[in-house]
Amino acid sequence: MEIKQQLPNATLVLIFGITSIVTCFCYGILGLIFGVIALVLAKKAKDLYLVNPELYLGYDNLKAGKICAIIGVILSSLYLFVIIGYIIFMGAMLPWSEILNS
């Protein structure tokens, strides 16, 4: 009987995935960083798991972390687009307020 070992970076992917959701409203930047790192680590760990699935534990943590990372990346991207749109809108409205005041 072989002793199963923990899948490398599975817990880290879960932590980064959750962190990407928690930090998605920090202008979208932190959530994107954590989410992308989690997705890259998840791909590497999944490839390692698929080679020898009988050697590793923790694939459920990896799947949950990947799902959280995807959600975090989507929320962060949407929030970043909202912030960029707001900046563009306010930049476009600034000359109009000067024109109307004169």
Side-chain angles (χ1 to χ4, degrees):
M1 184 171 115
E2 294 182 29
I3 297 175
K4 291 187 175 189
Q5 58 185 354
Q6 189 67 27
L7 186 62
N9 295 332
T11 305
L12 186 64
V13 168
L14 182 61
I15 291 170
F16 276 7
I18 293 170
T19 306
S20 72
I21 293 174
V22 171
T23 60
C24 70
F25 295 111
C26 296
Y27 298 105
I29 303 294
L30 285 176
L32 275 175
I33 292 171
F34 283 118
V36 168
I37 291 172
L39 289 174
V40 169
L41 290 175
K43 180 173 179 1
K44 290 179 182 178
K46 182 179 179 183
D47 292 342
L48 182 64
Y49 177 79
L50 291 177
V51 172
N52 287 318
E54 65 275 354
L55 294 180
Y56 298 107
L57 294 171
Y59 188 68
D60 293 335
N61 284 347
L62 184 69
K63 289 192 303 186
K66 186 176 178 182
I67 291 169
C68 289
I70 291 170
I71 292 170
V73 166
I74 291 170
L75 288 176
S76 297
S77 299
L78 289 174
Y79 193 72
L80 185 63
F81 286 137
V82 166
I83 293 295
I84 291 171
Y86 177 76
I87 290 171
I88 291 172
F89 177 76
M90 293 308 288
M93 294 307 292
L94 186 63
W96 283 105
S97 65
E98 292 175 5
I99 292 171
L100 293 175
N101 287 335
S102 62

